[in-house]
Amino acid sequence: MVRTRFAPSPTGYLHVGGARTALFNWLFTRKERGKFILRMEDTDLERSSIEYEKLIIEAMKWLGLLWDEGPDVGGEYGPYRQSERKKARIYDRYAKELIDMKKAVYVVYDKEDRKKELFETFDYPEEYIQKGHDITIKFKMPKGVKIKFHDLAKGDMEFLSDDIGDFIIMKSNGFPTYNFAVVVDDHLMEITHVFRGDDHLSNTPKQLAIYESFGWKAPVFMHIPLILGKDKSPLSKRHGATSVDHFRQEGYLPEGLLNYLALLGWRVEEGKEIFNIFEKVEEFETSLISNKNVVFDYEKLEWVNGKHLRSIDIENLCYRFRDYLMYLNMNELVDLLDKDKPYSMEVISICREKVNTMKQLLDISMPFFIESFEYEERYIEDYLKKDFAAPIIERALEMFRKNDDWTVEGCEKVMRDLAAEKIASKKKTFQTIRGAILGKLVTPGLFISLSVLGKDRVLRRLEKALNLARSVKN
RNA sequence: GGCCCCAUAGGAUAACGGCUAGUCCACCGGAUUCUCAGUCCGGAGGUCGGGGUUCGAUUCCCCGUGGGGCUGCCA
């Protein structure tokens, strides 16, 4: 039975790099019908917090990368927080075992110069502890040994133990260090495959030395390339947004983000780069992942997201959009959306053709929902203030009042008739009306917008715009 | 400094050791058009450098160079 884990440290938001690591673990596990485990590596007391843990869990759920065992759902291999495992003295027990086997030692430090090592000993340094010295436990790396392993991404690896040296496994505060805790936990949790960032490749021989000392079987490793920024340095805030939360706020769909993250360094068939990750599980192969660091491309992410935004069914999109507004605490708008669902659906349906994210969808659809929308400065300057504005709007008002056919074709006919009167050029005429009814110069198609808005809204807005045109006219 | 990973256009990738090095995003031009987007057509742009092996190297080997990682009582 395949068992994998995603083991973030709750010291910040879920990073897209972490999300990608989680994605590959998840993908592999689902394909192999195994168990996917979430484990919190909160051994850094200074930086870890339960708030971050909640945010990471929330982000993972939003992405839909669900786990079978974890701190929130429990499981037979718990606890799933290293801080709790520390409390249960799990690491103490195994560290002691290493000392008994003479493969680790206690290190006693100077009381004043707390970095200075006084001596190493296999015996529990009771009296020094009483006197308040810092004590750590250090793993003694075997001398002159070759540590070999096969990495699914990098191939056969070989390190010399002498290049690595001894390293601390238990801190003076009683917490295990990363390299020790992962080994103990992965073993106890019976993890079979470890997919993690490239940055852990050089740590692997240390961990293998510990597995070896205990006589434990090590999991299969695959070190996946890191995500970099445009300047090829590791992706950080300097390059723009990096947290999954941020992309959620920006109106990305989880399937869009996941699609892009998978696409990053995953070779796909030509012409098939847009897909739903949940339908791609069976095709997943570790050999498909490239072993080269990748640069995060915000533009391609937006393009991928746009493809998803336009292809999911409209009811689903409405639901997601409503969810998004609630996430942003825009409850008034949610009420407006709910008030007339068929109308809302039509609006979203015509607006999504123009945008790539739900944030953009929000911007472009706003004036369809609220009456007190703003008029763009450019519209006022280039159209509303011009001589032709008031006559065009006035004439449109007359024609639309008499109009009974509010289908797209009906609205088109009125507009074409209006343009035929040549108060101004066709473009100016259309743009004047576009701005009058929606306040913007970029909107969905004019005829369909008129049709969707309907007679009441259109007349009301034309009247308002007419008054405005008269008052701002140069 | 030591050890390790990586290298095809600006980004992501494709090419049993063998065609004019293909595709997607971005970019430029054209068509469609009420704006924008989309769609369609077209264009520019690439094998990091140097040595080998070979009839032939993007592909295999070595050396450089560049980028990245580890070398923490961070993970």
Side-chain angles (χ1 to χ4, degrees):
Chain A
M1 157 85 98
V2 162
R3 289 175 59 82
T4 66
R5 46 58 165 195
F6 175 56
S9 58
T11 54
Y13 299 89
L14 180 61
H15 187 273
V16 287
R20 195 168 78 120
T21 303
L23 172 63
F24 287 142
N25 275 290
W26 180 89
L27 233 20
F28 179 75
T29 315
R30 289 294 167 255
K31 165 137 192 230
E32 299 297 327
R33 311 270 186 275
K35 298 284 186 205
F36 178 49
I37 290 117
L38 180 64
R39 181 175 74 219
M40 286 295 156
E41 307 219 326
D42 54 351
T43 52
D44 184 340
L45 291 177
E46 310 281 303
R47 299 192 299 144
S48 299
S49 85
I50 191 76
E51 312 307 323
Y52 283 129
E53 176 184 312
K54 283 180 188 155
L55 287 171
I56 290 171
I57 285 182
E58 168 77 2
M60 290 280 288
K61 283 183 177 168
W62 177 71
L63 287 171
L65 301 178
L66 304 181
W67 47 98
D68 304 295
E69 299 167 26
D72 56 333
V73 294
E76 290 170 41
Y77 297 77
Y80 294 92
R81 278 186 201 96
Q82 290 184 331
S83 57
E84 290 171 16
R85 301 173 71 75
K86 183 259 176 190
K87 216 170 277 172
R89 310 195 65 86
I90 292 172
Y91 309 110
D92 288 334
R93 195 160 76 235
Y94 287 98
K96 182 72 171 59
E97 213 174 291
L98 285 175
I99 292 170
D100 291 344
M101 291 189 289
K102 305 269 191 276
K103 289 177 173 170
V105 292
Y106 293 104
V107 180
V108 178
Y109 294 82
D110 190 273
K111 267 183 89 169
E112 274 71 49
D113 184 359
R114 296 158 72 94
K115 294 274 177 256
K116 190 181 167 199
E117 296 183 16
L118 255 29
F119 61 93
E120 300 181 348
T121 172
F122 291 119
D123 302 315
Y124 187 63
E126 180 72 53
E127 50 178 313
Y128 286 91
I129 292 171
Q130 294 299 334
K131 285 192 270 179
H133 286 77
D134 280 351
I135 311 291
T136 64
I137 297 175
K138 193 180 262 187
F139 181 78
K140 301 297 282 183
M141 203 65 184
K143 298 279 175 273
V145 173
K146 278 182 183 168
I147 300 173
K148 298 179 184 177
F149 66 99
H150 182 80
D151 185 279
L152 251 31
K154 311 293 181 186
D156 290 322
M157 301 293 306
E158 182 178 309
F159 290 85
L160 266 17
S161 67
D162 296 353
D163 287 334
I164 298 168
D166 306 340
F167 56 95
I168 291 171
I169 56 175
M170 292 296 282
K171 309 178 198 175
S172 57
N173 65 4
F175 275 78
T177 59
Y178 166 75
N179 280 307
F180 186 52
V182 254
V183 173
V184 171
D185 290 343
D186 284 345
H187 172 258
L188 259 23
M189 293 181 179
E190 295 178 30
I191 300 303
T192 59
H193 298 257
V194 170
F195 297 85
R196 58 176 19 167
D198 232 353
D199 49 339
H200 288 297
L201 187 62
S202 306
N203 284 321
T204 309
K206 290 182 185 173
Q207 295 162 205
L208 286 169
I210 297 175
Y211 277 103
E212 178 69 19
S213 296
F214 282 118
W216 293 341
K217 186 171 183 284
V220 173
F221 292 101
M222 176 158 184
H223 289 93
I224 60 180
L226 267 19
I227 299 181
L228 308 178
K230 247 194 155 48
D231 60 357
K232 305 276 177 115
S233 70
L235 186 67
S236 73
K237 287 111 245 142
R238 283 186 300 114
H239 301 104
T242 57
S243 76
V244 169
D245 268 6
H246 174 93
F247 290 104
R248 183 178 181 183
Q249 260 166 269
E250 284 297 301
Y252 285 84
L253 296 167
E255 54 265 55
L257 221 205
L258 250 15
N259 185 167
Y260 176 67
L261 252 19
L263 210 52
L264 245 195
W266 180 358
R267 47 164 102 164
V268 294
E269 267 180 81
E270 281 184 12
K272 291 191 175 173
E273 51 277 296
I274 300 302
F275 52 80
N276 187 309
I277 201 71
F278 295 89
E279 290 156 11
K280 202 83 174 168
V281 170
E282 294 307 319
E283 289 175 47
F284 180 75
E285 292 291 340
T286 54
S287 60
L288 260 26
I289 300 169
S290 92
N291 62 345
K292 181 183 148 193
N293 287 168
V294 288
V295 174
F296 196 84
D297 185 343
Y298 290 89
E299 284 173 333
K300 188 151 187 178
L301 166 62
E302 191 183 316
W303 176 77
V304 169
N305 197 70
K307 288 285 189 184
H308 282 274
L309 195 82
R310 272 172 254 115
S311 70
I312 63 178
D313 67 70
I314 191 67
E315 249 165 290
N316 185 12
L317 180 60
C318 287
Y319 175 76
R320 309 287 283 276
F321 184 57
R322 189 179 180 282
D323 224 47
Y324 175 65
L325 296 177
M326 284 171 66
Y327 177 70
L328 295 183
N329 287 316
M330 302 185 72
N331 298 316
E332 335 72 50
L333 201 55
V334 172
D335 291 342
L336 283 173
L337 232 71
D338 289 346
K339 218 169 68 185
D340 187 347
K341 282 185 177 159
Y343 174 69
S344 303
M345 209 179 286
E346 274 188 279
V347 170
I348 289 166
S349 168
I350 63 172
C351 287
R352 73 156 163 188
E353 299 303 325
K354 308 286 164 182
V355 301
N356 287 325
T357 68
M358 288 198 289
K359 188 180 191 179
Q360 295 164 5
L361 183 61
L362 172 59
D363 285 343
I364 201 168
S365 66
M366 191 83 109
F368 282 89
F369 294 115
I370 61 173
E371 289 300 321
S372 55
F373 57 81
E374 303 270 311
Y375 295 90
E376 281 180 348
E377 194 53 38
R378 230 181 78 231
Y379 171 64
I380 295 173
E381 290 303 316
D382 296 351
Y383 294 92
L384 219 46
K385 282 187 176 177
K386 297 292 163 70
D387 289 339
F388 57 75
I392 287 175
I393 299 173
E394 194 171 10
R395 188 71 188 110
L397 207 37
E398 288 170 19
M399 294 167 79
F400 277 117
R401 275 198 185 111
K402 279 185 283 184
N403 186 42
D404 291 321
D405 181 2
W406 284 80
T407 61
V408 180
E409 295 73 26
C411 294
E412 175 167 1
K413 183 171 188 309
V414 174
M415 283 309 302
R416 295 215 183 275
D417 288 346
L418 176 62
E421 296 186 2
K422 293 196 187 319
I423 300 168
S425 70
K426 186 162 77 175
K427 178 172 174 174
K428 282 175 180 161
T429 304
F430 284 14
Q431 287 297 73
T432 300
I433 300 303
R434 183 191 309 281
I437 60 170
L438 292 166
K440 295 176 185 294
L441 290 173
V442 175
T443 74
L446 182 55
F447 316 139
I448 199 163
S449 293
L450 286 161
S451 171
V452 167
L453 281 166
K455 190 166 190 172
D456 288 353
R457 288 192 187 83
V458 169
L459 295 184
R460 213 180 309 137
R461 291 168 183 215
L462 287 174
E463 282 161 14
K464 189 175 163 191
L466 179 56
N467 288 331
L468 190 62
R470 284 171 176 155
S471 69
V472 299
K473 188 167 171 254
N474 290 329

